[in-house]
Amino acid sequence: MKLTRRSFGKLAGSGLAAAAMPGVFSPAIAQTGPLKIGILAPRSGVAGTAGECGIRAVQWAAERMNKEGGIAGRPIQLVIEEETNPKDTIERFRRLILQEKVESVHGLISTGVSLGVAPVAEEERSLFVMWDGTTQDGVKETMPDPKFVFRSTDNECEAVMGSLLAVKYFKGKFKRVAGINPDYSYGRNNWEAFKQILTRFGVQAEFVAEQWPKVGTLDLTSHVAALKAEKPDLIFSSMLFADLPVFMKQGAAAGLFDGVKVVLPAAGWQLNQLKKEFMPEGVIFGHNTLYFDYAQGSALQKAFVADYMDRYKEAPHWEADRAYFALAAYKAGVEAAQKAGGKWPTPDAVAQSIPGIEIESLGGKGRFRKDKIAEQVFYQGPSTNNNKYDFPTLAEVDVFQAEQLQKPAGVDFWEWIKTGKMPV
């Protein structure tokens, strides 16, 4: 049964009848006691490693913030639910706000799921701060003017940066280009953006192959063989789930990468699984909004990375930054709204306060724009296996701001790709 505000009020009994009245229920009624924040993230399946890293980071953030007084004096209590398919995740979202009475929900990795959950958050007037899941379909057609939903940086940002770095490091060194990308909007958008950016910057290349494996495909030998048969000089792949390490391992075994340039703009999600034994040198390797080994990282970043690696014996990736950023932005918005109003703020007041506040996150400073899309720092560069880890790090760290990589508010992404200002 679909759990709505009205049906929940009936189920809960006459004592909660107000919850059945549209516009009356608000998750921010309580002003004392723990401040409950819902988390929706995958813990298994192809996106499980991403979700688990985000959960670990938000737990670390909540513990750290609670030691410093919580949010506006209230201790943070996380209520974690799993992100799975859109239908079940929507029901879990409703349960968080209607039964658990959380005051905000954070998370989500999949664009397909976020497209379902975000409109429900608007309907329920519930603050929802997304970690990820923001392809162009999500920001253009479905949620053009959200009031309560705060979205991550455009998911295509990493492909734009990877494309620009391919121009920077590889221009003149390749003629035949092949792509292998996940068969859904993210992969198709990234491949198209890559092709258009090469053309825009005068790179003469022949696109000789396109492969579109379904997400989660773990036998990629036929795709590897098809790519190898075309003898590319450069391979672009925005694969980012558990299938990416499989592709790199199977490709290396087949000699696919011998003498071939490789661009992996979203590789950071799988950095712990991308072992030196099958990773070529000099890959354009994307870490998105958190590079764990950045020498110029803040004291906050270094404290988090040290704690994370000591506890989990692996390196954190960008979903940790997204989770921390979501909680820190919400905290800043609540405290700004409370200070302005002199009382515990409503969701409307918090939503109006968040945009424009500068947030120190794990990957650097960021903020939400007025259209509620995040602007954060991005890290990529050519990789090296010459390090103390069993996976590649960056030989050179290129750092871009999100405003260099994503379209301005109100501008069409594909028009911006063709004519917008970009770093060379």
Side-chain angles (χ1 to χ4, degrees), residues 71 129 150 324-340 345 348-361 364-376:
I71 295 178
V129 189
F150 289 80
Y324 186 99
F325 178 76
L327 185 59
Y330 175 71
K331 170 180 165 66
V334 168
E335 292 177 347
Q338 186 194 47
K339 182 178 180 181
D348 304 66
V350 177
Q352 291 174 29
S353 295
I354 292 175
I357 300 178
E358 186 171 78
I359 306 299
E360 182 184 2
S361 192
K365 295 185 185 300
R367 69 203 57 78
F368 279 101
R369 304 189 315 200
K370 289 183 179 180
D371 62 356
K372 300 181 176 62
I373 293 178
E375 291 182 327
Q376 292 185 259

Side-chain angles (χ1 to χ4, degrees), residues 1 3 18 20 25 31 44 90 92 161 183 194-195 203 233 236 275 294 307 328 337 384 386 411:
M1 181 180 71
L3 185 62
F25 176 83
Q31 298 182 26
S44 59
I90 289 170
R92 292 177 187 130
M161 185 169 181
D183 189 16
F194 176 69
K195 292 192 293 182
V203 176
D233 302 315
F236 174 93
K275 304 300 184 183
Y294 187 43
D307 287 352
T384 178
N386 183 21
V411 176

Side-chain angles (χ1 to χ4, degrees), residues 273-286:
Q273 287 72 42
L274 292 170
K275 304 300 184 183
K276 290 178 181 177
E277 63 196 59
F278 55 80
M279 287 296 292
E281 283 280 331
V283 171
I284 299 299
F285 198 110

Side-chain angles (χ1 to χ4, degrees), residues 125-183:
R125 303 179 66 82
S126 177
L127 278 163
F128 176 35
V129 189
M130 292 168 57
W131 293 355
D132 226 303
T134 310
T135 64
Q136 293 307 306
D137 289 344
V139 299
K140 183 178 179 182
E141 290 89 355
T142 307
M143 295 293 296
D145 185 27
K147 300 296 188 294
F148 297 93
V149 175
F150 289 80
R151 296 165 291 181
S152 74
T153 56
D154 290 358
N155 286 166
E156 291 80 4
C157 283
E158 55 258 35
V160 172
M161 185 169 181
S163 304
L164 293 171
L165 294 189
V167 174
K168 175 180 176 179
Y169 290 105
F170 298 155
K171 188 175 183 180
K173 299 178 182 179
F174 64 91
K175 294 182 179 179
R176 297 173 61 82
V177 178
I180 177 168
N181 295 279
D183 189 16

